[in-house]
Each structure stands twice: as structure tokens, then as C-alpha cells.
Amino acid sequence: MAAFSATISDSSRFLSSTSLPHDAAKPKRKISASSSQCRRSFSLPKPFPLFRLSIVSQRGRGKSLNICVQASVADISVEKSMDTVHLCKGDMWAVHKFGGTCVGTSQRIKNVADIIVSDDSERKLVVVSAMSKVTDMMYDLINKAQSRDDSYISALDAVLEKHQSTALDLLDGDDLATFLSQLHHDVNNLKAMLRAIYIAGHVTESFSDFVVGHGELWSAQMLSFVVKKNGLDSKWMDTRQVLIVNPTSSNQADPDFLESERRLEKWFSQNPSNVIIATGFIASTPQNIPTTLKRDGSDFSAAIMGALFRARQVTIWTDVDGVYSADPRKVSEAVILRTLSYQEAWEMSYFGANVLHPRTIIPVMRYNIPIIIRNIFNLSAPGTVICHIETEGEDGQRLESPVKGFATIDNLALVNVEGTGMAGVPGTASAIFGAVKDVGANVIMISQASSEHSVCFAVPEKEVKAVAEALQSRFRQALDAGRLSQVAVIPNCSILAAVGQKMASTPGVSATLFNALAKANINVRAIAQGCSEYNITVVVKREDCIRALRAVHSRFYLSRTTIAMGIIGPGLIGGTLLDQLRDQAAVLKEEFNIDLRVMGITGSRTMLLSEVGIDLSRWRELLTEKGQVADLEKFAQHVHGNHFIPNTVLVDCTADSNVASCYHDWLCKGIHVITPNKKANSGPLDKYLRLRALQRQSYTHYFYEATVGAGLPIVSTLRGLLETGDRILRIEGIFSGTLSYIFNNFTGTRAFSEVVAEAKEAGYTEPDPRDDLSGTDVARKVIILARESGLKLELSDIPVRSLVPEPLRASASAEEFMKQLPQFDEDLTKERQNAEESGEVLRYVGVVDAVNQEGRVELRRYSKDHPFAQLSGSDNIIAFTTTRYKEQPLIVRGPGAGAQVTAGGIFSDILRLASYLGAPS
Ligand code: ADP
Ligand code: ASP
Ligand code: MG
């Protein structure tokens, strides 16, 4: 944005504040280039203040506001020559506030001085915090002295040393001498005061406020000297002489604007200046007793000053690029918000966004003064503008998410006052909150269901004990009489607030919010939405808070589904899956907004864990080089424990029943499970039923498409039929790729044992072909489909025709078995011939007979024109006969074994999970 200059064209705007009722000073200002009636020119670091022009509402901003008791605005020397110098207020004033980090070192103080000097505003008031950590150090001094720990003396020396060395870096000559003499004088006073606190073993609030405010006194004086050294005449202001506040019982301070304004005018008449460096944080009571605006109060000081001066804008300089959509320390993907309405900023700060003190908004809002949050360490960033924004914004605004940002507050407890005796009884709420007020506790949110059975509210954890006791005693009689059933405390809670002015007019925002929380398996304990609809507040368990924040943030801001994955069993199938993920991850991320991150891989002996995601191009090497001893519990905890990613899936690529026995526990913890492992679904019926019930009750998903037919859509086809109301009559299929191959090739040209040997040679069988020929694997698939169809069968209920001759079942080795198999060829040769004579072929099939509620695995004969007779290679074929597909069954056919297709089946379950979790389709 270009620098901007304008000329005063209408002197009538310079009104005398003495002739103005206080309220007339309320601005209806239009801040736009065409309306700049006052003389000023800026040449600020580039994007400085002017982009507000495009976002400030045109309505509600009337004439420019410059209030001045004298016509003279520019020449301070003229004012000086008069008896009393009056303060001009209005757009000629720019207020800057520099936070502790901005003035944390001597170099940083120099940078701040440069920024002040390069701001060409006609007049500036700079509010400065204590050097970073200094306020903490001061509080620490008090705590030490109060608890009679004499190390307060050395701690005070450290404070002295910090400021002395900073001053030595920054100042010289008379300035240095003046500052050091003041510093030593103050430190001596503090020493005496701390000694008194030490002896008394007690400190009063005003003593404490007096001590802790010194950080600001010193930083403001140093900065003022440096600014002067840079050629800009400036005065420093001890705001205790100007800001008058009334301390309240709730550890807050309420500014007395009228008295402060009166004192400001007096101060200014004695210290006229175009550049004022003022202390943040500190103030006085009406009785002139030093006090503070409480922790982080310098933002509030700047806002009050902005209002007292009717400044053009207040710039709050800090260490981040502006207000983020969520605390950047908690959500790495948070984005900078270009604009926020006053209400949005207030809600964000009230609900925990500590970039701004919550009370900063009200004073500036009254005069429509915009606040700009900017990064002192990144001047090229435009920052965030907080100003009046109409609900029906400009086009750009409409495209924005209805939720502007999220904030959290930790360390809360919920208090639930419950009982049937509350319904319809006037005054219950008042009695409850009266009792809470009496113990000085701060109620952060309130929620009451319309049944009036319970009132639930959140208070800081440290206050809950007193609150609960007060309520117990206040409602003793009602509790004893049973009108109230309980006063319950739920500790370890956090608040998550979603803030946005546009939530008011957008349906479905809360649905989306709660959906995102449900999908991340987060339980919501209480909810509140004010009727202003600027804010939806939910209370969650503290340990879930960051995950909840990330889940909702990614839902509204990124619409990216991020899933943390753990792969168990990096063998043939698991390894192939990892390679497929490696090849596809970038496309998924860029084109489909799905971010799959493998946070761990574990075999039976070694596991590899990562905090950010394993580099899949090197997973094999990394597993060897960096692998640690495998521990499944630790593995699951690691993958799920990553708070940056709201969703976790464990992919079990083993055939291990021990791993399968963990699924229930994982699902309970909100970990999704995907597997080709048949053990869980074909294991004991009661465990299976428990697993499925859990899956139905929760938003946690369990997918196992690849347990039957590898990548073929068999389970999903079956589900589709059932869910749309079809009724399964029979499922019949060739479920084993190995046995498909064997019988497709057992055509009479070779003996059965020769075909088995050929299949083994070609790698179609398990290392021991008996594992295939026994039929157990097919029986497991039959059980899986039978149970999916609603039959309650155990594996032992399935009769299985084993193709392993009885005498060979106990053969020592696979080789021994293969050697002896030819001796038993005769039976099958005969069976095949009999079939052939009737124009039929033999096929090894699994059958689910839903009508008779049974299943079996058998060698059946099919006519040569039956689809099962037409197979080639190792294809699977499955026929579903249903009430809808009665004459012609629904047939699924294709390769049903092999690492690539099985891994592909698992992969498609992973993508299904992503879409269930909200990835765009
Ligand atoms: P200062 O000392 O300048 O007043 P603070 O530490 O009080 O700085 O506030 C700035 C910090 O607020 C940032 O460093 C950031 O970590 C934190 N913060 C929390 N929530 C947000 C948010 N939504 N946007 C920006 N910063 C935030
Ligand atoms: N120095 C004070 C504090 O740390 C005030 C502030 O920096 O805003 O709380
Ligand atoms: Mg702050």
C-alpha cells in the first residue's frame, strides 16, 4: 500500500472538546482516503495501516473526528509558549503497543525505536511492556520475600543487572547516568519494600502491584531515551499519573475514563509532546495508589490510551504475524486472519487466544478505532485488522469460513447442580451464581437444559473447591430434602470455543463442528451457544483438548483429512501397502486433500516410530537402521498419542490372532482399525459380536474388506445389499485363489498331486500346501460372510471338506507331504471322472446358506456352462443370491489373491475411512 497524505480542508472539524458533550465525541468515522480531512502524512513500513480502508464498514462511520481545544495542532512550540497547553485529540494520534518480546533485548529496543521513528504519524503514543520475563521475575521476588526465602535479594540483583546491562548497551552520557541513577534509586526502594514483605511474611495487593509495575517503568524510560537519541523528541509517561482505574473484586480493573481523561489533559499540559512513551500495565486507583491492569494488561493500557486520545488506530506489536485461526503453538496449520470484527476478537481473546488481552476491545470499539496486530520480527506481514465489520460483508468476506477461529482454555472444572426440585422454581440460578460470586470465582460458561433439571457451569479448576463447598452449604436444605440430587464436580476439563460473526447466519456450523468432534472420537461434556451466535463453546476432557482443537480446525480451515497410520506386519502384504502409499501419497494430498502419515511400522521383532511421518521411500532401510524392539502397546500409544493429528488408524497386515485380540481395545480408544487379517471376524462369536456392537455404537471405524477376496468388493457389496433392504438367500463362491488355480487346471491331463506341485512351484500356495488344501481358510471366509449376513455361527459349525488325505495330516514337513500325496490321487481322479461323465467340473467352494442358517466348505460339481466352470488362473468368483437377485445371482469375479490386489483392498479401505472422516469426494 502506498504512503498516504492528505490535507486539512475543513477547519470546522477542529472542535473544542470543552464545547462538546462527552458522547458527541463518539465517532462515526469514515476512514478512507477521500475523507482525510486532517493533515497527516505517513511513510510507514509498507502494509502499515491503510488496508483497513477496504474492510471498514462504510456505514456507521460518519465524519472524521479530530477534537482539539485549540486550532493549533502541529506546532508544539506555539503551544509551549501559551500558559496552558491543551491536548488535541483525534486522528493525528497513532498508538503503538510493544509487547515484552518486542523489547526483550537491547537490540530489540533499538528496533522498536526505529519503528517509532519511521512512523510518520503526526503524533504518536507508544505503550510499552516490561522487557520479556521481567514481570515474571518481579512476581517471583514477591513470592520469595513473602515466603521468607532470602534469595529474593539475589533475584533482585538479577533484575538490576538485566536493566543495567541493557542500558549500558543502549545509552551513554547524561541519559545513561540519569537512567542508572533512577534504576538504583528504584531498586533500593524495592529492596526496602521486599525486606518489609520478608519480615511480615505477607504482602498486600497494592504492595505487590507497586513492585511488579517497575518493569514497565524501566522499559519505558530506556525506550524514551533511545528514541530521543534517534532524533525524535519524546516524553515518557508514568501512566500511574494518568490512568485511573477502580480495582474490582474479580481481579480486574475498570478504567475511569472521565477521570483519566482529566488527568491526561493535565499531564499533557505539563509535558506537551508529539511523541509519548508510556508505561503499559500500570495505573492508579482514584486514591492515587499504584495498581495494575493485571497480567498481560499492556494491551488494555494501549486500548484505553487509544480511546483517551481518540487515536486513528492502535497497533499492537508482538511476535506473531497476527491473530491466527488457532493458537499457532497448538495447531501447526493455523492461518493468519486478515480481519476480525471487534466481537470476534473479543470472543477469541476471552476464550483463550492470549495474543490479545480480552478487555482490549471495548475501549477502542466505542470510538471505532481499528486495532492492528503486527509482527515486529516480520515487517512484511500485513497483520490482522480488528475493526467494525458488517455481517453482510463484501464478496471476499463471504467466501471465508463461517468460523473465524478457535481458542481453548485449560484447567477448568465443570460444576453440575442437579435435581428435580429446580424446575419452575424462580431464583435457583440466582442462588447458585450468588453463592459462586460470594467466593469470588469466575464463571466462564453456563449451560442449562430446558428441562431445568440441571445447571452446569465452568470455573477455573483452582476455584472449584471453594465453589463446591459454597454450593453444598447454600443448598444444604434442598440437598437433604432431595429437591437437589447433587452438586457434582467434573475436574480436568477444557473449553474449546469456535468464534465467528458469520456463524449467526450460516446453518449447519454447529453440525459440522460436532461432527468433526465425533469423528475424532471426542466426547463433549457441555455445550453453550450465546444467542449472538458469535461463539459456540464446548467443554471436553483436558486430555482431548488439543486433539479436539486440531480436529475442528482442520475441518473448517483445511478440509484436509489427516490420518496418522500405524502399519503392523510389514511382510509381503504390509510391505506392498507401504509401497503403494509411498507412490500415491502426494497425489492424495494435492488432489484429494487427504494427508496420510505413517507414524509407525512394526513387525514382530522390530518397530520404527516417527513423530512427523516416516519417509516411505526409505522405510525398509529406516526399519533396519532405526528400528527398536517391537512393543505393540507402545506402538499403538505412539501412533494415537500424536496430538497434531486428530485421526488414527492401525492397519493390521498380519494373520496373527494376538494382534486381532487388540482391536476391541483400540476401537474403544477411538483408533480406527483396518485389516485383511481374518482372525478377529472368524474367531469366537461373542468377541466378534462385541466388536461389531462397538463399531455400531461409536464413530470409530473397523474395515476388513480384504479379509475376503483380497481387493474384490465382496464385503462392501454384501453390505450394500443389506443396507438397502435386500435379503441374502445364499452366498456361494470360490474364495481361494490357490484352490481356484488347482481345480481350473485339474482337467484330466495331469494327476491332482501334479497340479498341486505345479501350483506350489508357481508360488500360488502357502509354503505348506496343506494350509490351502485343508479348507480352513475358506471356512474362515464363509464365517465372515455368514456373520456379516446376520448368521450367528462359530467356525466349528462349518463342515469342511479337507483335501488333505487323512494319513498325511500329521506328516512332518511340507516336502514329506508333497512326496506322499501322489499315493492318494486315485479318489480325486475318480471324482473328477464321474463329474466329467455328467458334463460337469469339480470346484472347491464355500457356501453360506442363509435360508437354513448354515455354512459349509465343499467340493461341488458344476455344469460346464456354469459361471464357476468358466474360471481361469487363480480368480475368485462369488455369487450372491438374494430376494432381488433371485433368478440371476449377483456375481463378483476377479483375482482374489496376491500382494498387489490385497494391499489395494486395504488401501481402498483406508480411503473409505478418509471419506467417512470428511475428505471431499
Ligand atoms: P506480547 O508479549 O507481545 O503481549 P503475548 O505472548 O501476550 O505477546 O501474545 C502473543 C502470543 O499469543 C503468540 O506468541 C502466540 O503464541 C499466542 N497466541 C495464542 N493464540 C493465538 C492466536 N489465535 N493467534 C496468535 N497468537 C496466539
Ligand atoms: N508486563 C505485564 C505482564 O507481563 C503486562 C504485559 O506485558 O502486557 O503481565
Ligand atoms: Mg500480551
Side-chain angles (χ1 to χ4, degrees):
M1 191 79 55
F4 156 41
S5 73
T7 312
I8 301 168
S9 56
D10 181 359
S11 58
S12 68
R13 300 195 188 287
F14 288 82
L15 304 167
S16 162
S17 64
T18 49
S19 65
L20 246 180
H22 192 72
D23 252 17
K26 272 198 189 167
K28 295 278 187 276
R29 286 184 295 174
K30 177 167 175 166
I31 303 180
S32 75
S34 59
S35 75
S36 18
Q37 293 92 345
C38 75
R39 186 190 302 273
R40 50 183 132 99
S41 76
F42 309 68
S43 63
L44 289 167
K46 257 210 169 166
F48 207 75
L50 298 178
F51 55 98
R52 70 194 161 104
L53 302 181
S54 59
I55 50 92
V56 170
S57 141
Q58 299 300 302
R59 193 141 50 87
R61 280 188 173 272
K63 305 274 166 82
S64 173
L65 177 88
N66 291 305
I67 309 152
C68 188
V69 285
Q70 296 273 309
S72 169
V73 289
D75 190 354
I76 210 87
S77 62
V78 175
E79 293 175 353
K80 269 184 181 165
S81 67
M82 298 179 193
D83 286 338
T84 345
V85 181
H86 291 284
L87 168 62
C88 293
K89 297 172 190 161
D91 273 5
M92 74 285 285
W93 284 100
V95 171
H96 295 268
K97 179 258 168 175
F98 294 92
T101 42
C102 303
V103 291
T105 63
S106 50
Q107 185 53 47
R108 289 185 183 175
I109 295 177
K110 280 186 196 158
N111 290 347
V112 167
D114 289 342
I115 289 180
I116 298 169
V117 172
S118 66
D119 170 8
D120 281 350
S121 301
E122 196 176 319
R123 295 177 171 210
K124 334 169 221 211
L125 176 111
V126 175
V127 173
V128 64
S129 288
M131 292 177 76
S132 68
K133 310 252 166 48
V134 167
T135 311
D136 293 338
M137 289 164 97
M138 304 305 277
Y139 276 107
D140 184 50
L141 290 179
I142 293 170
N143 289 337
K144 285 196 159 112
Q146 171 175 231
S147 48
R148 301 212 165 109
D149 170 355
D150 54 20
S151 68
Y152 79 85
I153 301 174
S154 53
L156 180 59
D157 288 343
V159 171
L160 171 67
E161 169 52 30
K162 185 176 174 94
H163 290 88
Q164 193 160 270
S165 64
T166 309
L168 285 167
D169 277 353
L170 291 172
L171 313 175
D172 41 37
D174 286 352
D175 293 349
L176 178 64
T178 313
F179 178 76
L180 287 182
S181 132
Q182 182 65 47
L183 177 67
H184 283 275
H185 175 261
D186 291 342
V187 167
N188 283 336
N189 270 347
L190 288 175
K191 215 173 251 170
M193 189 166 253
L194 288 164
R195 173 87 189 138
I197 294 171
Y198 178 88
I199 292 167
H202 172 74
V203 66
T204 62
E205 197 178 333
S206 47
F207 262 45
S208 167
D209 280 352
F210 175 79
V211 173
V212 297
H214 276 75
E216 271 73 8
L217 290 169
W218 297 324
S219 60
Q221 289 175 74
M222 282 194 285
L223 180 61
S224 172
F225 279 125
V226 180
V227 167
K228 249 194 248 163
K229 204 170 144 185
N230 286 8
L232 206 60
D233 191 25
S234 73
K235 292 263 164 38
W236 87 275
M237 176 196 276
D238 174 348
T239 34
R240 291 175 304 184
Q241 293 169 22
V242 173
L243 272 191
I244 301 304
V245 299
N246 290 298
T248 70
S249 57
S250 50
N251 196 29
Q252 300 208 358
D254 290 339
D256 179 338
F257 283 96
L258 277 180
E259 181 57 21
S260 300
E261 196 155 356
R262 206 182 57 72
R263 296 211 187 188
L264 173 65
E265 272 158 17
K266 181 168 169 221
W267 182 92
F268 192 83
S269 70
Q270 291 160 359
N271 302 275
S273 177
N274 283 346
V275 183
I276 302 169
I277 313 287
T279 53
F281 185 46
I282 54 178
S284 291
T285 67
Q287 296 73 36
N288 299 318
I289 297 169
T291 184
T292 68
L293 302 185
K294 313 304 164 199
R295 288 313 305 260
D296 297 318
S298 296
D299 297 337
F300 190 21
S301 307
I304 301 169
M305 285 299 181
L308 293 179
F309 281 91
R310 316 289 191 270
R312 189 182 74 244
Q313 68 181 27
V314 175
T315 308
I316 296 197
W317 295 87
T318 183
D319 59 350
V320 282
D321 282 353
V323 180
Y324 279 91
S325 50
D327 188 336
R329 293 166 297 190
K330 294 179 179 160
V331 181
S332 56
E333 280 108 352
V335 294
I336 287 286
L337 302 171
R338 223 167 46 82
T339 61
L340 276 176
S341 71
Y342 289 122
Q343 286 82 359
E344 287 169 337
W346 185 85
E347 299 268 0
M348 284 282 284
S349 60
Y350 178 76
F351 284 98
N354 58 339
V355 62
L356 203 63
H357 186 282
R359 301 199 62 192
T360 313
I361 299 302
I362 304 299
V364 289
M365 191 170 138
R366 182 168 175 208
Y367 297 102
N368 235 351
I369 300 167
I371 297 183
I372 299 158
I373 314 273
R374 295 200 55 198
N375 189 350
I376 186 112
F377 305 110
N378 181 14
L379 297 182
S380 62
T384 299
V385 183
I386 299 166
C387 59
H388 174 74
I389 296 173
E390 299 264 329
T391 318
E392 285 305 310
E394 292 149 27
D395 282 350
Q397 299 266 342
R398 265 188 218 129
L399 296 173
E400 281 181 10
S401 161
V403 178
K404 276 285 184 71
F406 298 92
T408 55
I409 312 179
D410 285 331
N411 302 326
L412 298 179
L414 273 182
V415 179
N416 192 28
V417 184
E418 208 173 294
T420 45
M422 278 159 63
V425 180
T428 313
S430 147
I432 292 173
F433 294 110
V436 176
K437 178 186 162 279
D438 290 346
V439 293
N442 179 25
V443 176
I444 295 164
M445 68 156 271
I446 305 172
S447 157
Q448 180 185 13
S450 58
S451 73
E452 296 184 63
H453 267 62
S454 71
V455 174
C456 156
F457 56 92
V459 291
E461 194 117 53
K462 59 179 185 329
E463 291 168 3
V464 75
K465 191 164 170 277
V467 169
E469 281 166 9
L471 289 171
Q472 300 279 1
S473 103
R474 170 70 185 74
F475 291 104
R476 183 76 279 145
Q477 213 181 337
L479 283 162
D480 290 345
R483 275 181 285 120
L484 284 190
S485 57
Q486 61 167 347
V487 174
V489 170
I490 304 153
N492 299 325
C493 292
S494 292
I495 274 184
L496 166 67
V499 171
Q501 194 159 316
K502 280 197 8 198
M503 295 199 301
S505 47
T506 315
V509 177
S510 49
T512 310
L513 181 88
F514 289 111
N515 205 359
L517 290 171
K519 283 175 175 168
N521 198 41
I522 285 155
N523 183 32
V524 174
R525 310 217 61 153
I527 304 168
Q529 174 179 7
C531 60
S532 73
E533 295 184 64
Y534 288 151
N535 178 314
I536 300 173
T537 305
V538 296
V539 178
V540 296
K541 269 197 264 170
R542 186 168 53 209
E543 70 222 51
D544 286 343
C545 185
I546 294 189
R547 221 155 44 79
L549 177 66
R550 286 175 190 156
V552 293
H553 186 271
S554 74
R555 184 67 190 84
F556 281 95
Y557 264 89
L558 309 171
S559 63
R560 173 185 288 176
T561 309
T562 310
I563 306 179
M565 308 212 306
I567 310 290
I568 305 163
L572 184 59
I573 290 171
T576 309
L577 173 66
L578 283 163
D579 293 340
Q580 290 181 355
L581 285 166
R582 172 199 62 206
D583 298 342
Q584 201 57 15
V587 176
L588 286 176
K589 200 162 167 177
E590 266 142 47
E591 289 180 21
F592 300 96
N593 241 339
I594 299 171
D595 188 353
L596 301 177
R597 290 196 214 162
V598 178
M599 313 302 283
I601 301 173
T602 183
S604 55
R605 281 187 295 275
T606 319
M607 68 179 180
L608 174 67
L609 305 179
S610 160
E611 292 296 333
V612 285
I614 294 168
D615 173 3
L616 292 186
S617 65
R618 299 178 54 234
W619 70 266
R620 287 185 177 82
E621 294 96 291
L622 291 170
L623 188 60
T624 331
E625 288 161 18
K626 305 227 163 102
Q628 45 180 294
V629 179
D631 174 339
L632 196 54
E633 203 180 317
K634 193 166 152 202
F635 180 80
Q637 226 166 43
H638 170 86
V639 179
H640 191 46
N642 184 307
H643 289 303
F644 278 96
I645 305 177
N647 309 296
T648 310
V649 61
L650 290 176
V651 184
D652 171 18
C653 299
T654 71
D656 192 330
S657 37
N658 288 328
V659 179
S661 67
C662 300
Y663 297 172
H664 190 272
D665 184 37
W666 293 340
L667 290 168
C668 284
K669 290 186 173 132
I671 302 173
H672 308 285
V673 176
I674 289 174
T675 188
N677 180 354
K678 291 180 270 296
K679 292 291 159 52
N681 281 15
S682 61
L685 180 64
D686 58 336
K687 281 198 178 158
Y688 166 83
L689 292 174
R690 253 174 13 109
L691 206 55
R692 293 302 309 274
L694 182 65
Q695 183 195 4
R696 291 209 178 90
Q697 284 155 15
S698 70
Y699 277 89
T700 315
H701 300 288
Y702 170 43
F703 294 145
Y704 40 82
E705 180 65 85
T707 50
V708 184
L712 296 180
I714 294 173
V715 177
S716 51
T717 302
L718 175 54
R719 281 224 178 144
L721 294 169
L722 292 168
E723 282 165 10
T724 56
D726 204 351
R727 205 163 68 80
I728 305 295
L729 303 174
R730 185 183 177 84
I731 304 169
E732 184 169 335
I734 296 172
F735 294 113
S736 157
T738 314
L739 290 160
S740 172
Y741 177 88
I742 290 173
F743 284 96
N744 293 343
N745 287 284
F746 184 37
T747 51
T749 53
R750 282 155 296 165
F752 183 73
S753 60
E754 279 176 80
V755 182
V756 173
E758 186 185 292
K760 183 171 189 307
E761 202 82 333
Y764 284 130
T765 68
E766 293 295 320
D768 186 338
R770 281 173 296 186
D771 291 344
D772 299 301
L773 297 175
S774 69
T776 321
D777 195 59
V778 176
R780 287 191 183 278
K781 292 174 184 169
V782 167
I783 273 288
I784 292 171
L785 295 180
R787 288 175 175 177
E788 196 73 31
S789 314
L791 307 191
K792 296 206 164 60
L793 295 177
E794 291 283 6
L795 195 57
S796 54
D797 297 330
I798 309 286
V800 180
R801 160 87 190 263
S802 172
L803 298 176
V804 184
E806 183 75 52
L808 298 187
R809 290 189 189 161
S811 293
S813 65
E815 285 69 36
E816 191 57 33
F817 165 75
M818 289 305 288
K819 218 156 81 207
Q820 302 211 25
L821 188 62
Q823 296 169 28
F824 299 89
D825 275 338
E826 206 186 316
D827 285 357
L828 279 172
T829 306
K830 244 192 229 151
E831 221 172 310
R832 199 203 68 78
Q833 267 167 1
N834 288 344
E836 171 121 33
E837 278 159 20
S838 335
E840 292 174 334
V841 295
L842 294 179
R843 291 296 180 256
Y844 193 78
V845 294
V847 178
V848 175
D849 180 348
V851 179
N852 296 306
Q853 310 259 316
E854 59 188 34
R856 60 189 166 274
V857 177
E858 58 191 1
L859 195 58
R860 275 173 65 99
R861 288 159 57 159
Y862 292 88
S863 114
K864 281 194 173 151
D865 56 4
H866 189 277
F868 285 18
Q870 321 284 320
L871 283 195
S872 59
S874 62
D875 279 5
N876 280 191
I877 185 162
I878 290 91
F880 295 95
T881 308
T882 71
T883 15
R884 280 183 205 146
Y885 294 95
K886 203 164 181 179
E887 306 308 325
Q888 284 289 341
L890 171 63
I891 288 184
V892 180
R893 173 187 164 167
Q900 285 296 341
V901 289
T902 309
I906 306 168
F907 200 166
S908 81
D909 269 352
I910 296 171
L911 296 184
R912 179 153 27 140
L913 173 67
S915 89
Y916 275 43
L917 296 177
S921 54

